[in-house]
Amino acid sequence: MRLDGKGRVNRAEEVLFQFDGKYVRGYAGDTVASALLGKGERLMGRSFKYHRPRGPLTAGSEEPNALITVGSGAEQDPNVRATMQEIYDGLEVFSQNAWPSLKTDVMGINDLAAPFLGAGFYYKTFMWPKAFWEKLYEPIIRRAAGLGGLSGEAHPDDAERAFATCDVLVIGAGPAGLMAALTAAKSGASVILCDEQTEVGGRLLSETVDVDGKPGHVWATEMVQTLRDLGVRIMTRTTITGVFDGGTYGALERVSHHLPNPSADLPRECFWRIHARGAVLAAGALERPIAHPMNDRPGVMLTSAMASYLNRWGVAPGKRIVLFTNNDSAHATAKDLADAGINTTVIDARSGISPTGDYLVHAGAEVINTRGHLGLRSVKVRQGTREWDIEADGLGLSGGWNPSVHLTCHMNGRPTWNPEIHAFVPTPGSVPGLQAAGAAMGNFSTHGALKSGIFRARKVLESLGLKPASIQTPVADDTPLGLAPLWAVDAPGRAWLDFQNDVTTKDVRQAAKENFQSVEHMKRYTTQGMATDQGKSSNVGALAVLAEATGRDIPGTGTTTFRPPYVPTAIGTMGAGAKGKGFAPERFTTSYANALQMGAPMIEAGLWYRPSYFPRTGEKTWRDACDREVNMVRDAVGVADVSTLGKIDIQGPDAAKLLDFVYINTFSTLKPGRVRYGVMLREDGFVMDDGTTACFAQDHYVMTTTTAAAGNVMKHLEFVTQALHPEWDVSIISTTEAWAQFSVAGPKARELISSLTDTRVDNDSFPFMACGAIDVLGVAGRLFRISFSGEHAYEVAVPARYGAALWRDLVARSELLGGGAYGMEALNVLRIEKGFVTHAEIMGRVTARDIGMGRMISAKKDCIGKAAASRPVLMASREELVGLRPVDPATKIDAGGHLYNIGDRVHRETDQGYATSACYSPTLNTYMALAFVRDGTARLGERIRFVDRLRGIDAEVEICHPVFLDPEGGRARG
């Protein structure tokens, strides 16, 4: 029912939308919930477990009941809160979790079975018979589970990612947030002000309060222009979803949810990463209900929601309203309702309370039941020994207020119990640089919020070294909350805590009785707080019930863990841009087109596409091509494109210091014209990457990384130079795409390289592990004498624009010498024969000692990960890198197989290790593998059992040295 003269919607602009196929008229500025309530529709959803009829409980993003699906087909968006979805012409919304209709839901029969479906019933019911789980229980549960549904089609709307920086981020644009933004802006700080509502003002939009002699919403509107004139960036429809390290905040902006025909280049949502030097949390507080029997019917909502629908949207939440409260804030709403001509009665649990307006008060009374199926019809009241019914189609619940502490807990902080307001408040210092203000800190009066906003902003500014401006606190009401705690009414019947998941006070008490007394255990046993609202309206009430059941107080009971995102956020929005090739970009080498012409199948390596092998006429399988290419490299010469390896140019007086710090071995002694192999550790002591670094001058190095780790290594170096040692004079830049680089390997490699250049290339002028600038067919290039095959080899690099031409030339010259191109399959065989590791071996859980490189850790210097790598647990008995040969050379072994002592049963506890890489070696005519075996280096020559159940392999293998071919390295150095 609409009320004349109330609300901020535009009555001159009607909007037509559909709800469950029926047209509904609302006004510009309405949400789906306010428009439906304006037409007298209270039923908007069904609960998860019992499918009980539900209407909106709140008017904001914390809504647990009124969830809808917006759109249809590929565009359908489930679990949208009707309280947040703005209406527009052509909008289609559908109710959820009901069939065949919202009013007649077959699954409502679950409510009749409620005595059998209490807390933890699924743990007890579906245990037997065991065979029924897969064929009966699980299919039924899966069909019944879920709230909304996805279409299964690719969503056509793209989201965006964006980045912003500021001195001060203000979270929430209520009275505290507006004053915090004003204080910061007038002090010369750059300010971003975010609020999830469509306009600023916070609770000033929902309450009839004055600020500086003006209606609160008028004062807020004027503040908007003042702030914009000061350069404040105001972002409405934007929710801060998470707090992260380094002053980083995630924010979800609803860009075009409210537009009927958004332009093609306008995203539906934008996910922001905001970096702020300081922040003020002014997110307000959330009203909590009082648990009493049957407190969940459509028409039952929070008193604050009634105030919002009345004052902001001009909607009467009913014709006859009952408010059940334990505090003074509900009386302000009662007065507003009565002033609007609505019959209003207040049931106040406190004694000696008098009305402040034209409404009736029953003090020292409680609501003990309600009636009505698809909508509230009456309320049962108890006052002492007297009980009576009151006809009502609306019941407002007000059990006090919970400050919005969630964001302050995202970095493992825990809130502090404040006994004066009977609620948790943010613990100071939980988030570095963030100050909580206003109702978010427990200052519930308008004057208290305004004053707190100024004070907390000053604190942030002082921490940033800025001089705070002098700001006068506006005149406003300063009446205290006046609350007497009441969490649950002692009366027979089901009293609901978590409305979406159908958790009752009885469920929480049952959890405590069954010894699930930890708040985290209770949460999982009952599903309390695990709904889409994350228990925003129910958690504290549930804690109080649990505390009473276990004989503890609420702070001793503790809180559950608050995690981001603060509001439901689409995964597609958080990963904006990561769709199709945005998710998996394709990167091509300069030789890619020519490799395709040669018939090479391509495989992904990191984000790059590299040739697997180069088939020739008469070869029937990939093994035929691979074996030929391996023999070609061992006997003549082979050419491979290795441009995908990460290449990082490092220059500056402190370049050597950087290398010494990130590598376990010493690089400051490396002379110009030489190359050195290095291993890099993470801070936890485990191997991060390996590669070579070439010294071209005393202050100029070129680092090579593995293909897959190139990005991570670059980030690692940037972190070191920006965070750990910003004083070092060193510059780094990735040049991976700038150079095309090719490996030339085999006994005839020198002959091929010499045909490209006039530079002298022999053992004296260009020994093993040398590097230098050379002329390559008239192009300035680089030459490295390094080998990943164990053969005499070089890597020649030229600017990328010459890559395709050089590749064709190299392949043609190699074929004249009896060789040719080789691909990834042959490259892997060549490196396995030599025991060279890749990320198959250095997969993130091995140390330098595990891969036989512990002696490389220099005792003369410090490096990242050195101390952690020497922890006793990493120096004890561990799995170590070894080689494996099958006792029967023709027996195939493969990567992924596990190892067991001969005679032991195959079991997790008897596992001795696993194979990481395997191949058939045409050079040695046997299968072989690299593996990690417990105490492997002490077990060389021992036979062990190789089991790969996936491929049906069960073989006896011998543990051997990981270098199968030329352990002395004579081939590479010759």
Side-chain angles (χ1 to χ4, degrees):
M1 181 177 71
R2 293 286 181 176
L3 296 171
D4 292 335
K6 301 292 287 185
R8 294 171 56 74
V9 296
N10 184 0
R11 302 286 181 100
E13 185 179 344
E14 288 192 343
V15 176
L16 192 65
F17 71 101
Q18 291 186 59
F19 178 66
D20 280 346
K22 296 181 180 179
Y23 283 98
V24 180
R25 290 189 183 276
Y27 299 105
D30 263 327
T31 64
V32 170
S34 67
L36 289 174
L37 287 171
K39 293 296 181 182
E41 293 287 345
R42 294 179 292 175
L43 176 62
M44 297 184 198
R46 291 274 179 166
S47 65
F48 176 70
K49 185 162 68 172
Y50 299 137
H51 284 245
R52 287 179 60 82
R54 295 281 165 77
L57 179 70
T58 74
S61 65
E62 69 274 20
E63 174 59 34
N65 290 340
L67 302 183
I68 54 175
T69 295
V70 176
S72 58
E75 296 184 352
Q76 76 181 49
D77 192 3
N79 294 328
V80 175
R81 292 140 293 167
T83 53
M84 296 296 288
Q85 177 60 55
E86 300 168 65
I87 64 171
Y88 53 82
D89 283 324
L91 173 68
E92 289 183 295
V93 297
F94 304 90
S95 60
Q96 301 181 163
N97 207 38
W99 183 86
S101 70
L102 185 57
K103 291 184 177 180
T104 306
D105 179 17
V106 171
M107 290 297 289
I109 195 172
N110 283 7
D111 199 29
L112 299 177
F116 306 100
L117 303 177
F121 78 93
Y122 30 81
Y123 297 120
K124 306 167 185 175
T125 308
F126 303 116
M127 303 297 290
W128 55 272
K130 186 177 180 180
F132 275 34
W133 171 254
E134 187 173 341
K135 296 182 180 179
L136 179 63
Y137 298 147
E138 185 180 22
I140 292 175
I141 292 171
R142 287 193 178 278
R143 279 195 291 270
L147 285 171
L150 295 169
S151 66
E153 303 174 39
H155 200 289
D157 292 326
D158 287 326
E160 278 187 355
R161 285 182 296 175
F163 303 85
T165 60
C166 61
D167 291 325
V168 179
L169 170 66
V170 180
I171 305 167
L178 290 172
M179 293 310 296
L182 179 67
T183 304
K186 283 197 170 184
S187 303
S190 60
V191 181
I192 294 177
L193 174 63
C194 293
D195 194 280
E196 64 182 4
Q197 296 295 331
T198 59
E199 54 184 329
V200 305
R203 63 189 179 94
L204 298 177
L205 304 175
S206 301
E207 299 176 358
T208 53
V209 297
D210 289 343
V211 179
D212 267 352
K214 305 171 185 176
H217 65 87
V218 174
W219 177 84
T221 301
E222 292 176 355
M223 280 291 293
V224 170
Q225 189 57 52
T226 300
L227 292 174
R228 284 182 174 152
D229 291 343
L230 290 169
V232 175
R233 180 174 188 171
I234 300 175
M235 299 176 66
T236 54
R237 299 186 177 90
T238 303
T239 305
I240 300 298
T241 61
V243 181
F244 307 94
D245 290 334
T248 301
Y249 297 79
L252 174 68
E253 181 185 11
R254 307 186 310 278
V255 179
S256 60
H257 282 276
H258 59 294
L259 300 177
N261 296 299
S263 61
D265 58 350
L266 195 64
R268 188 173 181 79
E269 295 177 333
C270 181
F271 194 80
W272 289 82
R273 187 166 70 183
I274 301 173
H275 182 266
R277 296 175 61 206
V280 176
L281 175 65
L286 302 174
E287 194 171 29
R288 59 196 182 214
I290 300 173
H292 66 78
M294 297 303 165
N295 60 335
D296 69 326
R297 303 190 190 281
V300 179
M301 63 178 70
L302 297 176
T303 300
S304 58
M306 287 188 168
S308 294
Y309 291 119
L310 175 69
N311 294 315
R312 185 172 179 185
W313 288 287
V315 171
K319 296 179 181 179
R320 296 178 63 89
I321 301 295
V322 172
L323 303 183
F324 180 26
T325 185
N326 63 355
N327 66 87
D328 291 341
S329 66
H331 288 263
T333 302
K335 185 178 185 303
D336 289 347
L337 290 167
D339 291 346
I342 299 172
N343 185 303
T344 305
T345 301
V346 174
I347 309 301
D348 199 314
R350 300 170 297 172
S351 300
I353 301 299
S354 302
T356 59
D358 188 17
Y359 58 91
L360 182 64
V361 173
H362 294 287
E366 299 172 321
V367 174
I368 59 172
N369 212 327
T370 65
R371 287 188 174 87
H373 178 52
L374 297 180
L376 181 72
R377 294 201 311 270
S378 68
V379 172
K380 191 176 190 66
V381 179
R382 179 177 66 196
Q383 187 179 45
T385 59
R386 178 188 172 213
E387 295 181 3
W388 73 97
D389 291 330
I390 300 176
E391 289 187 11
D393 54 1
L395 172 61
L397 302 177
S398 179
W401 296 82
N402 297 324
S404 297
V405 301
H406 308 71
L407 294 177
T408 65
C409 301
H410 284 181
M411 296 179 68
N412 294 323
R414 293 286 180 175
T416 300
W417 181 256
N418 184 338
E420 293 183 3
I421 62 172
H422 302 282
F424 286 99
V425 296
T427 300
S430 294
V431 175
L434 182 142
Q435 295 275 341
M441 197 60 193
N443 298 298
F444 294 135
S445 73
T446 305
H447 177 80
L450 294 165
K451 184 177 180 180
S452 175
I454 298 171
F455 177 75
R456 296 298 173 179
R458 291 176 65 90
K459 287 286 188 183
V460 172
L461 292 165
E462 288 168 357
S463 70
L464 301 181
L466 298 174
K467 183 180 180 180
S470 178
I471 303 293
Q472 187 72 31
T473 304
V475 177
D477 177 71
D478 199 20
T479 304
L481 182 61
L483 178 145
L486 174 63
W487 308 102
V489 173
D490 184 11
R494 290 181 290 172
W496 309 95
L497 292 166
D498 188 315
F499 290 80
Q500 190 178 113
N501 278 353
D502 285 325
V503 180
T504 66
T505 56
K506 179 183 176 182
D507 292 328
V508 174
R509 294 188 181 105
Q510 182 67 27
K513 186 177 179 180
E514 298 189 27
N515 209 33
F516 291 93
Q517 298 186 5
S518 161
V519 64
E520 295 287 2
H521 291 165
M522 178 275 289
K523 173 182 177 178
R524 284 152 182 80
Y525 191 66
T526 64
T527 70
Q528 159 63 40
M530 296 176 68
T532 55
D533 70 322
Q534 299 184 57
K536 290 183 175 68
S537 301
S538 61
N539 272 346
V540 177
L543 293 178
V545 175
L546 180 63
E548 179 189 21
T550 57
R552 297 173 291 182
D553 58 12
I554 296 176
T557 302
T559 62
T560 54
T561 303
F562 299 103
R563 300 182 177 91
Y566 176 74
V567 294
T569 305
I571 294 175
T573 300
M574 287 191 284
K579 183 178 179 182
K581 291 186 179 181
F583 173 73
E586 297 173 339
R587 302 180 73 181
F588 304 114
T589 63
T590 56
S591 66
Y592 175 79
N594 190 252
L596 289 180
Q597 291 176 2
M598 296 171 70
M602 309 303 287
I603 60 173
E604 293 181 54
L607 298 175
W608 294 91
Y609 281 77
R610 300 182 70 177
S612 180
Y613 56 92
F614 294 87
R616 290 187 180 178
T617 303
E619 294 174 342
K620 298 180 179 180
T621 67
W622 70 270
R623 266 284 309 279
D624 293 338
C626 177
D627 290 354
R628 170 184 52 79
E629 291 171 9
V630 170
N631 290 328
M632 182 178 69
V633 173
R634 296 291 182 215
D635 298 334
V637 65
V639 178
D641 192 333
V642 294
S643 304
T644 62
L645 298 176
K647 294 177 280 291
I648 301 174
D649 202 276
I650 303 172
Q651 297 189 39
D654 294 322
K657 284 184 182 180
L658 173 63
L659 293 172
D660 277 351
F661 191 54
V662 297
Y663 279 126
I664 63 175
N665 47 326
T666 303
F667 274 78
S668 54
T669 58
L670 186 64
K671 299 185 183 309
R674 302 295 293 173
V675 182
R676 185 167 291 167
Y677 173 79
V679 174
M680 194 177 294
L681 304 181
R682 300 191 310 240
E683 290 184 341
D684 58 6
F686 290 93
V687 176
M688 178 182 185
D689 195 42
D690 72 335
T692 60
T693 292
C695 179
F696 283 91
Q698 288 184 349
D699 58 354
H700 183 196
Y701 298 82
V702 173
M703 176 186 289
T704 302
T705 76
T706 56
T707 297
N712 288 335
V713 172
M714 186 66 187
K715 289 179 183 178
H716 184 60
L717 296 181
E718 288 177 334
F719 176 76
V720 171
T721 56
Q722 293 179 24
L724 301 184
H725 284 289
E727 76 280 5
W728 284 352
D729 186 0
V730 58
S731 299
I732 56 175
I733 187 171
S734 173
T735 59
T736 302
E737 293 86 356
W739 294 88
Q741 196 155 313
F742 307 101
S743 172
V744 179
K748 299 181 180 179
R750 180 181 292 150
E751 183 178 348
L752 193 156
I753 291 295
S754 296
S755 69
L756 300 173
T757 180
D758 293 331
T759 303
R760 182 183 172 191
V761 181
D762 56 29
N763 273 346
D764 294 329
S765 61
F766 227 92
F768 182 60
M769 300 300 279
C771 67
I774 65 166
D775 177 87
V776 182
L777 299 174
V779 173
R782 294 170 174 173
L783 187 65
F784 309 83
R785 187 174 169 188
I786 51 180
S787 175
F788 195 57
S789 61
E791 296 297 327
H792 188 109
Y794 302 86
E795 289 185 12
V796 57
V798 293
R801 62 184 179 275
Y802 301 109
L806 180 57
W807 166 259
R808 291 191 297 269
D809 191 276
L810 287 171
V811 171
R813 291 172 188 261
S814 65
E815 288 175 346
L816 292 175
L817 295 173
Y822 67 96
M824 291 290 290
E825 296 294 347
L827 185 149
N828 268 315
V829 173
L830 293 165
R831 67 97 182 170
I832 292 171
E833 290 178 341
K834 283 295 296 178
F836 293 146
V837 298
T838 66
H839 276 267
E841 285 72 42
I842 51 175
M843 80 302 280
R845 60 183 298 267
V846 300
T847 67
R849 182 171 173 267
D850 296 340
I851 57 175
M853 298 181 184
R855 293 184 178 180
M856 285 180 61
I857 302 178
S858 174
K860 299 179 180 180
K861 68 177 184 69
D862 188 22
C863 67
I864 291 178
K866 180 178 179 179
S870 63
R871 288 175 288 168
V873 68
L874 298 184
M875 301 298 290
S877 174
R878 288 176 56 83
E879 295 166 342
E880 299 169 344
L881 183 68
V882 295
L884 299 177
R885 290 176 183 262
V887 173
D888 178 359
T891 300
K892 182 179 181 180
I893 55 177
D894 216 330
H898 280 250
L899 302 161
Y900 304 88
N901 290 329
I902 295 173
D904 285 353
R905 70 188 184 101
V906 176
H907 191 269
R908 175 178 57 83
E909 295 177 352
T910 60
D911 196 312
Q912 298 295 302
Y914 53 94
T916 54
S917 302
C919 69
Y920 175 78
S921 168
T923 310
L924 302 175
N925 298 313
T926 183
Y927 283 92
M928 59 178 58
L930 297 178
F932 285 95
V933 176
R934 192 176 303 170
D935 298 323
T937 55
R939 300 172 68 175
L940 301 183
E942 181 181 327
R943 292 188 177 184
I944 197 168
R945 185 181 174 194
F946 182 99
V947 179
D948 185 344
R949 292 280 172 81
L950 182 64
R951 299 174 181 85
I953 302 173
D954 193 331
E956 193 172 320
V957 298
E958 179 184 329
I959 300 173
C960 59
H961 195 278
V963 181
F964 296 91
L965 178 70
D966 188 26
E968 296 80 14
R971 291 176 178 243
R973 290 177 171 81

